[in-house]
Amino acid sequence: MTTTDLAGFTVYLAYRLFGYGLRHTPASVATTLTLAEPAVAAVLGVTVLGERLPAVSWCGLAVLALGLVLLTAPVGTGQRER
């Protein structure tokens, strides 16, 4: 098996599993996970591969993390107690 075959197989397998997960996941959860994926890839690149990110990229990751926290935070019903 050549390197190209191995890369093609792993990409194929990853996208098959991703598609399977999307079919069995609510749209809101799938959207949140899809937004988080590039951030996870960037952090893995820094921690595993030793890449360096400029300060503006770290700020972008922080804004994305804050948005994901706000997106997943429970929302009240909007009714006040009397």
Side-chain angles (χ1 to χ4, degrees):
M1 185 175 259
T2 66
T3 304
T4 306
D5 293 336
L6 182 60
F9 174 73
T10 56
V11 169
Y12 170 79
L13 180 63
Y15 276 103
R16 289 292 292 191
L17 292 172
F18 183 69
Y20 176 81
L22 286 179
R23 280 193 301 274
H24 296 77
T25 305
S28 60
V29 174
T31 301
T32 304
L33 291 175
T34 303
L35 286 172
E37 188 269 333
V40 171
V43 171
L44 282 174
V46 169
T47 57
V48 175
L49 301 175
E51 294 182 4
R52 296 182 185 264
L53 293 179
V56 71
S57 296
W58 286 110
C59 292
L61 285 172
V63 169
L64 180 61
L66 178 64
L68 289 172
V69 166
L70 293 174
L71 184 65
T72 58
V75 179
T77 59
Q79 297 176 354
R80 295 183 180 180
E81 292 183 28
R82 294 182 184 220

